[in-house]
Amino acid sequence: MGLFRLDSSIRRTDSVSRAVADTVTENWVAANPSGTVVRRDLAVEGLPGTAWTDAVAGVSTPVEQRTPTQTAAIDLATTLADEVAAADSLVIATSLYNFGISQHLKTWIDLVITDPRFAPGQQPLAGKQVALVIARGGGYAPGTPRAGWDHATPWLVRIFQDVLGAEVTLLEAELTLAGTVPAMAELIPLAQQSATAAHTLAASTGRSFATKIAV
């Protein structure tokens, strides 16, 4: 069995999304010690900003007429898609940036979808499990002042669940800035509660994924 893990937080240390993803991964490995974990860290190994446009242009261009940059972009997209296709389960970890998705993760998704296996309508992740880890600095629950401002989580669930066909487990940690923003100090207990709940669910999710084999 194989687990694919993708990180996109720009924080290399003290990252909540990375910590929760660690809990998923560690429990998956503990329950499946002979399994293989493949990792890609978009903050360490960034994707070229023009890769998506080059891949899109290259796909619609005859092979013999493609430019070197188009060929390289298509090769990169194939590599990314291969990593996902080979996995039985996936962990996608990210943060909410400016109320939306990380540009690194968006570029990765756009590139993967240029691969014919991942084109809309194919549902290549059917039968596979995705742990979607998202950390949010503030609070966006119903009834809060910024309810509805999170434009990343619904989109990511739509992509992985409805477009690609995966079974998505959502692992959310909110108020992650409470410990560093003085104005949020009174929210620290709620932030700790949210983090604890995320890690608890992450642990059970990792163990659960390890016992399932993709169809």
Side-chain angles (χ1 to χ4, degrees), residues 45-84:
E45 187 179 2
L47 301 175
T50 60
W52 177 61
T53 54
D54 288 333
V56 170
V59 167
S60 60
T61 301
V63 175
E64 66 277 5
Q65 296 178 21
R66 291 173 183 167
T67 67
T69 55
Q70 289 172 345
T71 299
I74 291 173
D75 289 344
L76 175 58
T78 300
T79 296
L80 301 180
D82 284 345
E83 292 174 346
V84 175

Side-chain angles (χ1 to χ4, degrees), residues 187-199:
L187 299 175
I188 290 177
L190 290 176
Q192 294 173 336
Q193 180 180 336
S194 179
T196 298
H199 280 284

Side-chain angles (χ1 to χ4, degrees), residues 1-4 28 87-91 128-130 209-210 212:
M1 292 181 66
L3 177 73
F4 173 71
W28 188 92
D88 296 289
S89 305
L90 298 88
V91 181
K128 298 187 179 186
Q129 299 80 40
V130 170
F209 281 11
K212 295 179 181 178

Side-chain angles (χ1 to χ4, degrees), residues 6-207:
L6 184 76
D7 287 287
S8 61
S9 172
I10 60 175
R11 298 175 66 188
R12 297 292 305 282
T13 60
D14 300 322
S15 166
V16 175
S17 67
R18 291 176 185 274
V20 175
D22 283 344
T23 298
V24 178
T25 306
E26 290 164 3
N27 279 270
W28 188 92
V29 171
N32 184 33
S34 63
T36 301
V37 178
V38 173
R39 296 188 59 171
R40 179 171 288 273
D41 192 331
L42 299 179
V44 175
E45 187 179 2
L47 301 175
T50 60
W52 177 61
T53 54
D54 288 333
V56 170
V59 167
S60 60
T61 301
V63 175
E64 66 277 5
Q65 296 178 21
R66 291 173 183 167
T67 67
T69 55
Q70 289 172 345
T71 299
I74 291 173
D75 289 344
L76 175 58
T78 300
T79 296
L80 301 180
D82 284 345
E83 292 174 346
V84 175
D88 296 289
S89 305
L90 298 88
V91 181
I92 308 296
T94 189
S95 304
L96 181 70
Y97 292 119
N98 299 317
F99 314 114
I101 185 175
S102 157
Q103 65 169 339
H104 306 295
L105 181 55
K106 181 64 163 60
T107 299
W108 179 85
I109 290 171
D110 287 340
L111 271 171
V112 168
I113 291 178
T114 65
D115 185 281
R117 293 168 291 176
F118 287 79
Q122 299 300 314
Q123 295 217 318
L125 299 186
K128 298 187 179 186
Q129 299 80 40
V130 170
L132 177 57
V133 179
I134 186 159
R136 297 187 285 261
Y140 300 87
T144 62
R146 288 185 172 174
W149 283 45
D150 173 5
H151 300 287
T153 306
W155 186 85
L156 289 167
V157 172
R158 183 75 68 187
I159 287 292
F160 285 102
Q161 180 173 280
D162 300 325
V163 175
L164 300 179
E167 300 172 17
V168 174
T169 300
L170 186 58
L171 309 175
E172 305 170 278
E174 286 206 322
L175 304 170
T176 61
L177 292 177
T180 58
V181 177
M184 297 177 63
E186 64 180 15
L187 299 175
I188 290 177
L190 290 176
Q192 294 173 336
Q193 180 180 336
S194 179
T196 298
H199 280 284
T200 299
L201 181 56
S204 63
T205 297
R207 293 191 296 269

